[in-house]
Amino acid sequence: MEQTFIMIKPDGVQRGLVGEIIGRFEKKGFSLKGLKFLNVDQAFAEKHYADLSSKPFFNGLVEYIISGPVVAMVWEGKNVVTTGRKIIGATNPADSAPGTIRGDFAIDIGRNVIHGSDAVESARKEIGLWFPEGVANWSSSLQPWIYE
Ligand code: DAT
Ligand code: MG
């Protein structure tokens, strides 16, 4: 089954949105496979966002991600990468539809509350970076009520 990497950024933690965000993925029917609450350092944040290292906002982005603890998660389910991105909403909260996490809880692009992998391949890379020890092995007993 497909997996994605989801991270609640420091602003999401500070603003008390952890339960709300986890609840949205849970209620959708996705399965939580990995979860940790941690601070990352500059080198780690730069690695996570390596693809964006040439962007003018890169240094500010790294400073933001290391400014407080984050919630790192692995979620599993059918099409979870694409659907997870839809649940999160557009990168710039000015363009995120109401009903999405960023549309409901964010205003500025540099404080957009949450990260989600943008493709199956980047999800695989990000899960490897954030969860080198692996994730939990379980499957929900509700699966027959979620999948036909
Ligand atoms: P996403 O997080 O939706 O995958 P991204 O990977 O293009 O978006 O960029 C990573 C983060 O960098 C994004 O969540 C917020 C920040 N960012 C992106 N574009 C930006 C811009 N033009 N100005 C400031 N910050 C930006
Ligand atoms: Mg991205």
Side-chain angles (χ1 to χ4, degrees):
M1 192 75 98
E2 188 171 297
Q3 294 184 338
T4 193
F5 174 69
I6 301 291
M7 173 191 42
I8 305 174
K9 295 176 178 178
D11 51 334
V13 171
Q14 293 286 352
R15 294 178 54 200
L17 296 172
V18 171
E20 169 76 34
I21 289 170
I22 290 176
R24 290 187 178 206
F25 282 85
E26 268 189 325
K27 281 180 268 189
K28 174 69 175 172
F30 292 135
S31 292
L32 183 63
K33 302 290 285 197
L35 173 75
K36 51 185 165 186
F37 186 53
L38 75 169
N39 293 80
V40 297
D41 63 18
Q42 184 176 335
F44 189 93
E46 287 175 353
K47 204 164 175 191
H48 171 75
Y49 280 123
D51 292 351
L52 300 173
S53 59
S54 63
K55 302 283 186 190
F57 57 81
F58 181 71
N59 288 344
L61 176 61
V62 167
E63 282 302 310
Y64 158 52
I65 293 304
I66 68 174
S67 66
V70 299
V71 179
M73 296 176 280
V74 176
W75 287 90
E76 185 176 277
K78 189 194 281 183
N79 281 324
V80 68
V81 171
T82 299
T83 304
R85 294 278 295 189
K86 288 182 184 161
I87 290 170
I88 288 170
T91 302
N92 189 340
D95 304 322
S96 315
T100 66
I101 291 168
R102 287 168 174 167
D104 288 349
F105 302 122
I107 294 175
D108 274 352
I109 191 168
R111 296 290 184 273
N112 64 1
V113 171
I114 184 167
H115 165 86
S117 307
D118 62 8
V120 171
E121 178 54 23
S122 50
R124 197 190 54 75
K125 269 176 33 190
E126 290 170 2
I127 291 167
L129 175 66
W130 287 81
F131 290 88
E133 70 279 19
V135 297
N137 180 24
W138 76 295
S139 64
S140 167
S141 58
L142 293 179
Q143 282 212 353
W145 301 104
I146 295 169
Y147 297 102
E148 63 178 17

